[in-house]
């Protein structure tokens, strides 16, 4: 089963950042979704002094926290962000999804250019005024009062 992350980015007006997938996207085409994506396999250059100071390569899965940070930057351009793991894990059959929330902040600036290959637009919305169509997992998360209220308190 593949692993992925989503992030609830909420501003001080309690608006959530959503991104719209292009109509030809392979996952949730034309639907509004939270920023997120797959947890990647990463290769790092590591220096081991035991091997006479030579560099060698090491590979590992990135942590869910690293993936949330990376995906947020890739999809929105927002860099200065503090995350919290909500300890919510969901599954849609193909993916296990770790849910993160971002520290509430009023000065989040989306710097990514839209449209791009992953998303055609973005918008800040309130839970009572969600755009349509919305991805099923995003809809489920935003309509779960326990998860959403916990994220509002961060």
């Amino acid at each position: 089963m593949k692993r992925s992350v989503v992030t609830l980015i909420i501003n001080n007006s309690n608006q959530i950042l959503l991104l719209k997938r292009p109509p030809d996207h392979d996952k949730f085409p034309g639907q509004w979704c939270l920023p997120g994506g797959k947890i990647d396999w990463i290769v790092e250059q590591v220096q081991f002094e035991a091997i006479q100071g030579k560099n060698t390569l090491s590979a590992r899965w990135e942590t869910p926290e690293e993936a949330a940070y990376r995906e947020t930057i890739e999809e929105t351009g927002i860099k200065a962000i503090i995350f919290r793991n909500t300890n919510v894990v969901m599954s849609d059959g193909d993916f296990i999804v770790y849910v993160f929330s971002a520290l509430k902040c009023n000065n989040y600036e989306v710097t990514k250019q839209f449209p791009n290959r992953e998303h055609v637009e973005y918008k800040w919305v309130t839970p009572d005024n969600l755009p349509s169509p919305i991805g099923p997992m995003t809809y489920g998360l935003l309509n779960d009062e326990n998860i959403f209220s916990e994220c509002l308190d961060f």
Side-chain angles (χ1 to χ4, degrees):
M1 191 168 284
K2 300 172 188 166
R3 299 181 316 142
S4 63
V5 295
V6 294
T7 303
L8 283 151
I9 301 174
I10 303 170
N11 64 21
N12 285 339
S13 299
N14 292 337
Q15 296 173 311
I16 305 139
L17 180 63
L18 293 181
L19 307 173
K20 187 173 185 181
R21 304 259 189 196
D24 59 347
H25 199 275
D26 61 333
K27 191 82 168 160
F28 308 118
Q31 297 180 30
W32 290 92
C33 299
L34 294 166
K38 296 176 193 164
I39 295 176
D40 285 346
W41 180 252
I42 56 176
V43 177
E44 302 172 305
Q45 192 168 2
V46 181
Q47 184 172 353
F48 289 102
E49 297 209 11
I51 310 174
Q52 302 170 358
K54 293 183 180 177
N55 291 331
T56 187
L57 296 179
S58 171
R60 66 176 176 86
W61 286 105
E62 66 186 341
T63 66
E65 291 84 359
E66 290 170 326
Y69 185 76
R70 177 186 51 76
E71 286 288 347
T72 298
I73 292 172
E74 286 177 6
E75 295 189 355
T76 69
I78 297 172
K79 293 180 185 173
I81 199 163
I82 298 171
F83 290 104
R84 178 178 66 174
N85 189 337
T86 64
N87 294 315
V88 174
V89 179
M90 302 179 74
S91 176
D92 71 355
D94 294 332
F95 285 90
I96 294 173
V97 181
Y98 301 88
V99 180
F100 287 83
S101 64
L103 181 66
K104 276 177 61 174
C105 183
N106 213 24
N107 61 352
Y108 284 131
E109 183 180 347
V110 177
T111 60
K112 184 80 174 184
Q113 295 293 319
F114 290 86
N116 56 60
R117 69 177 180 80
E118 287 196 68
H119 302 98
V120 293
E121 63 180 298
Y122 75 93
K123 66 170 64 173
W124 293 94
V125 301
T126 56
D128 58 346
N129 193 19
L130 296 175
S132 183
I134 192 162
M137 192 166 295
T138 298
Y139 182 82
L141 280 169
L142 298 182
N143 282 291
D144 185 315
E145 287 185 26
N146 294 327
I147 295 172
F148 189 70
S149 63
E150 180 183 325
C151 293
L152 286 176
D153 293 337
F154 184 40

